[in-house]
């Protein structure tokens, strides 16, 4: 993913799902994938999030500089809303040990 903006957006979207569904292995693995991408490809560290009634805010360090992006809550939370509306379509499949 070439765009830092897109990587942060995808990471935040799946982080919200992962935080709400800590036993969801797919969400956790996907969040970890985007975290790895943010650190290795985009050299981002010290990520912090906050929210208000309208927006999510992502603060992070990149190249020795603190930066901040914002994203509308309705866009970030849409995946979690869909999962909660139709949980039978998003069953968790735990990883099996061989």
């Amino acid at each position: 993913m070439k765009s830092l903006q897109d990587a942060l957006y995808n990471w935040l979207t799946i982080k919200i799902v992962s935080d709400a569904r800590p036993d969801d292995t797919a969400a956790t693995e996907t969040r970890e994938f985007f975290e790895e991408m943010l650190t290795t490809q985009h050299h981002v560290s010290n990520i912090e999030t906050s929210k208000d009634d309208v927006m999510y805010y992502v603060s992070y360090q990149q190249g020795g500089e603190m930066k901040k992006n914002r994203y509308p809550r309705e866009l970030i939370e849409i995946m979690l809303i869909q999962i909660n509306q139709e949980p039978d379509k998003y069953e968790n499949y735990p990883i099996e040990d061989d």
Side-chain angles (χ1 to χ4, degrees):
M1 187 166 293
K2 295 182 182 183
S3 164
L4 173 59
Q5 180 83 1
D6 288 346
L8 284 167
Y9 169 84
N10 288 319
W11 168 79
L12 182 57
T13 300
I14 199 63
K15 178 187 181 326
I16 299 307
V17 173
S18 179
D19 288 351
R21 297 169 47 101
D23 295 332
D24 186 331
T25 54
T28 299
E29 289 174 358
T30 305
R31 179 185 46 81
E32 290 170 353
F33 168 80
F34 281 108
E35 287 171 353
E36 177 75 15
M37 179 185 299
L38 287 167
T39 58
T40 60
Q41 291 182 19
H42 298 287
H43 311 288
V44 168
S45 61
N46 301 323
I47 303 172
E48 294 184 16
T49 62
S50 60
K51 67 181 176 180
D52 60 24
D53 291 341
V54 179
M55 301 292 255
Y56 276 93
Y57 302 93
V58 179
S59 301
Y60 58 95
Q61 189 168 354
Q62 185 185 42
E65 185 179 340
M66 286 303 295
K67 299 181 180 184
K68 191 172 190 175
N69 291 23
R70 63 186 184 157
Y71 303 91
R73 283 184 68 166
E74 64 187 38
L75 294 178
I76 297 302
E77 294 174 354
I78 191 67
M79 183 182 294
L80 181 58
I81 291 167
Q82 289 173 341
I83 290 170
N84 288 337
Q85 287 175 343
E86 300 182 88
D88 54 308
K89 291 185 178 181
Y90 300 94
E91 185 176 340
N92 186 36
Y93 296 98
I95 298 173
E96 295 181 16
D97 294 327
D98 290 331

